Amino acid sequence: MANGIGFRLYLVTDRRLFASTGSLFTAVEDALRAGVRAVQLREKDINIRELLNMAYCMKELTDRYGARLFINDRVDVAIAVEAHGVHLGQGSIPASAAKKVSKGRLIVGVSTHSITEALDAAKDGADFITFGPIYQTSSKLKYGEPVGINALKIVRSKVSIPIMAIGGIKIDKIKEVMDSGADGVAVISAILGSGNIKQTTEDFLRCLQ
């Protein structure tokens, strides 16, 4: 794929949308069956042993569909389960350190919420960034008001690495974010919270082609 990271749809997990962890795996498998090729395991409120167990199971699942697995924040877990990458927050170790620790084996994504953070992540060696929230969304309320489309356009003009737009992105917003310079979109509830995950994923992928 021309954007340099091999995927345009980045599915981010949130098991709290489901009654059980097993339901999360079923939902992710529905999305994988529909064509998702990158999943970020993002479960911040569980202990390291639980996370490791989930990561092994998710790796087995993503491998089955030829998809890439990213682990949120924990480089050690990403290395242990032989994930394809790690996704770092602003409070995580720097991208350059993650590359060093993993001997360059991990693809490193970084969450950014301002133009400055985006520039810093690119400079520090991130392979790609998520940028947002572009629109209002409950999952990103702690990051304040949406950064908006204009900020996305500015970041696109200043960084050469792939940008995955995140935050409140529904099907009807895809054209706007892609026209503004995004290389793809990262979503949580737009897919995992939908009534028909397979169909919604197919709709997203079709709009992203």
Side-chain angles (χ1 to χ4, degrees):
M1 192 171 284
N3 69 2
I5 49 174
F7 54 90
R8 294 195 189 282
L9 182 58
Y10 190 32
L11 181 63
V12 182
T13 73
D14 183 353
R15 79 191 191 294
R16 293 171 300 181
L17 293 169
F18 303 93
S20 71
T21 300
S23 301
L24 170 65
F25 285 99
T26 301
V28 170
E29 183 162 19
D30 283 346
L32 289 166
R33 196 178 289 121
V36 159
R37 289 297 170 260
V39 176
Q40 181 196 148
L41 182 62
R42 183 183 184 271
E43 304 296 336
K44 294 185 169 187
D45 58 339
I46 57 177
N47 67 46
I48 186 66
R49 284 178 180 269
E50 285 180 283
L51 179 62
L52 191 59
N53 286 337
M54 280 190 80
Y56 276 119
C57 292
M58 195 66 79
K59 179 65 163 55
E60 190 179 308
L61 184 58
T62 51
D63 278 356
R64 203 181 308 154
Y65 289 89
R68 293 176 176 179
L69 176 64
F70 292 79
I71 306 296
N72 182 266
D73 197 48
R74 299 298 301 244
V75 178
D76 52 348
V77 173
I79 292 170
V81 304
E82 298 184 353
H84 296 83
V86 66
H87 196 97
L88 305 171
Q90 288 299 307
S92 307
I93 68 171
S96 55
K99 295 238 172 180
K100 188 174 181 182
V101 170
S102 68
K103 297 181 169 57
R105 195 182 63 75
L106 294 175
I107 302 167
V108 179
V110 176
S111 292
T112 66
H113 313 99
S114 70
I115 295 165
T116 301
E117 288 177 2
L119 293 175
D120 287 348
K123 197 182 304 177
D124 195 47
D127 293 301
F128 71 97
I129 58 171
T130 54
F131 183 70
I134 305 296
Y135 308 106
Q136 197 75 49
T137 173
S138 57
S139 68
K140 295 287 182 183
L141 285 177
K142 67 179 180 181
Y143 300 113
E145 288 300 304
V147 294
I149 282 293
N150 285 337
L152 174 59
K153 290 176 180 175
I154 293 168
V155 171
R156 174 72 291 160
S157 71
K158 293 179 180 292
V159 304
S160 58
I161 61 173
I163 303 166
M164 306 297 284
I166 193 170
I169 298 172
K170 311 289 188 200
I171 296 277
D172 62 349
K173 299 293 188 185
I174 290 177
K175 187 177 189 309
E176 184 175 47
V177 297
M178 297 299 280
D179 286 350
S180 299
D183 294 278
V185 300
V187 297
I188 305 172
S189 61
I191 285 179
L192 295 180
S194 73
N196 187 330
I197 289 171
K198 186 171 182 292
Q199 183 63 58
T200 304
T201 303
E202 288 170 354
D203 292 344
F204 263 91
L205 289 167
R206 189 165 51 251
C207 292
L208 286 163
Q209 281 178 352

